[in-house]
Amino acid sequence: MDYLATLPLLLLLSLFTSGYAATFEIRNNCPYTVWAAATPVGGGRQLDQGQSWTIDVPGGTRMARIWGRTNCNFDASGRGSCETGDCGGALQCTAWGKPPNTLAEFTLTGDNNFDTIDISLVDGFNVPLTFAPTNPGADKCRAVSCTADVNGQCPAALKVPGGCNNPCTTFGGQQYCCNEGPCGPTDYSRFFKGLCPDAYSYPQDDPSSTFGCPAGSTGYRVVFCP
């Protein structure tokens, strides 16, 4: 019997991509400490100004994200809390962060054998960042950024300590959360898009917000306060 012929397609794909990994460098250039978080691979790390953290992410990793947490306090066991981006009170994140948090999102070896990357403000904004391939190419394989003073210009209704929240968390409802079918931009999403044109500004803002590189062609770098 042909062993490979008995395996489901998704398992076959995982076998052929398991040897590929991309290196991610996460660097803090902010003049304050950022507690970096990465899921599902990485966990978390305190980064003082100028410090970096490197993780290797296996090919086939999907729905992954990296973000910065601010104003955190953790005890010796790694339990505590953060003003923004908190992941269940843990230094080593296994859950997604609590909004607001600026997200660097990615899938490795996705559709058509491409990595896809994006910056998302769907969960709001707390720390400016760039997300870049270390070996950029043409067209969509390039750096993306959100470095504007979003916190300083945040609409009053979205302003929270340490960041600028998203309208879904703040108000709820289909108009802002897009969880019951198609939806379009709002005045709040246009605010985010105007300051950070590369970034997702609402959940269905795909066409102008997703970028990609051939799988295995590059590593990636996320920089807080570039």
Side-chain angles (χ1 to χ4, degrees):
M1 178 182 292
D2 184 351
Y3 172 70
L4 291 180
T6 68
L7 294 177
L9 177 59
L10 288 179
L11 181 54
L12 280 173
L13 290 175
S14 70
L15 287 174
F16 286 114
T17 60
S18 61
Y20 157 61
T23 298
F24 283 70
E25 179 194 1
I26 304 164
R27 181 176 178 83
N28 178 28
N29 282 350
C30 298
Y32 49 84
T33 299
V34 172
W35 286 259
T39 62
V41 178
R45 180 75 62 89
Q46 177 179 327
L47 297 179
D48 296 328
Q49 183 179 13
Q51 290 186 326
S52 294
W53 174 34
T54 300
I55 57 176
D56 290 326
V57 180
T61 300
R62 294 175 176 269
M63 296 181 66
R65 52 179 57 181
I66 294 168
W67 71 97
R69 295 168 287 173
T70 60
N71 295 325
C72 302
N73 285 287
F74 294 103
D75 62 22
S77 68
R79 300 299 304 175
S81 64
C82 300
E83 183 176 57
T84 65
D86 187 77
C87 60
L91 172 62
Q92 296 294 329
C93 293
T94 58
W96 290 356
K98 181 180 178 181
N101 49 346
T102 318
L103 299 173
E105 301 179 314
F106 61 92
T107 287
L108 297 185
T109 323
D111 294 341
N112 300 315
N113 205 35
F114 261 67
D115 300 339
T116 57
I117 68 172
D118 70 77
I119 292 174
S120 175
L121 304 183
V122 172
D123 279 3
F125 178 100
N126 64 337
V127 179
L129 60 80
T130 58
F131 190 4
T134 54
N135 183 32
D139 193 25
K140 292 276 189 171
C141 186
R142 65 171 180 85
V144 291
S145 66
C146 182
T147 59
D149 182 20
V150 177
N151 290 340
Q153 301 180 55
C154 184
L158 302 182
K159 192 177 289 291
V160 295
C164 187
N165 218 339
N166 66 88
C168 176
T169 299
T170 303
F171 305 115
Q174 166 64 11
Q175 179 184 12
Y176 299 119
C177 299
C178 305
N179 51 14
E180 298 176 2
C183 66
T186 65
D187 287 345
Y188 290 117
S189 70
R190 293 186 187 98
F191 159 76
F192 287 118
K193 198 69 171 180
L195 291 179
C196 293
D198 285 341
Y200 267 88
S201 59
Y202 68 98
Q204 296 181 14
D205 187 18
D206 296 79
S208 62
S209 308
T210 302
F211 303 83
C213 299
S217 67
T218 182
Y220 297 93
R221 182 178 295 115
V222 175
V223 180
F224 302 121
C225 301

